[in-house]
Structure formats: structure tokens, C-alpha cells
Amino acid sequence: MTGWLVFGILAIALIGCALMVVLSKNLVHSVIWLAAALISTAVLYVTLQADFLAAVQVLLYTGGVITLMLFGVMLTRRYTTPHIAHGTKESLRGAGTALAVMLVIGSAIWRSMPFEGLPVPAVNLADTQALGKLFLTDLMLPFEVLSILLLAAMIGAIALSRRSDP
């Protein structure tokens, strides 16, 4: 019972941090809230007894990605002040789009999933060798799709940064 309570509190904190990432008007503050959200995710991994994933989360995402994002924000010459203007029209449009995407994905998952749940491979997540074998055998397709998605995001970021100002 206590584990579920801690998990629920951490999940609410994670949702709060994620909302602050989106709603913050200062770009630097958004990156700092993102770091808090990533650390909250690592703590959630610890409560699920996945210590290796928590360590990877802190080292790679919180340490590496946040550092790169802060350097990117601070070294960008395009913006003299890292201030984001939020308008009501844009916020409503974004919230509506996010809700529509969530409903479409949720309904697709609901229709395709049997009610007894999907079978989960019996793997001890604390064993890194078993986790690596799981990624390279049963979960190979999602792993490769994720790598293609990250490559597309990187190419998009490079294309946007190389575009000349009008």
C-alpha cells in the first residue's frame, strides 16, 4: 500500500514538472523543469526496482541531454532573451491537438489490446545482461524504431538550426 502511495505522489510530481516545462515562459526555466521531470522519472524507476534504468536515466538524460540543451539555449545567437510568449489561441490549439492525438492513440491501444493484458517477458530487470538480450531479441523492432525516431529528430533539429532568418 505504501509503495502505491509513493508511486502516486511521484507520478503527480512528474506530471506537474511536465506541465511546467510546457507552461514556463522562460526557456531556461523550461529546461530546468525538464531536468526535474527526468529526475522524477528516475526516482519512479527506483520505486519499480529498476535501478539500472534509473542510473541510465540520470546519467544520460538528466546529465547529458540537459547539459546540451542548456548550452544550446545559452549559445544561440538568434534569441537575445530566452523568453517564450504564450498566447491563449496557441495554447488552446496545442491542448486540443494533444488531446486529439491522445484520444486516437488511446483508442487504438484499447481496441488492439486484449482485456487480460499483454504477456510480459519474464526478465529480471536488475540483470543488465538479460536486459540487453531482451532489447536485442524480443524488443528489437521497437528499439530500432526508436533509433530512427531519434535520428529524424536530430536531422530536424539540424535543419531548423541551419535555416537562415527571413
Side-chain angles (χ1 to χ4, degrees), residues 75-106:
L75 295 177
T76 302
R77 293 180 297 185
R78 189 177 291 175
Y79 304 108
T80 56
T81 58
H83 182 76
I84 303 170
H86 292 292
T88 308
K89 185 178 178 182
E90 291 85 8
S91 297
L92 289 175
R93 190 178 316 148
T97 304
L99 182 64
V101 169
M102 184 183 75
L103 288 174
V104 167
I105 292 173

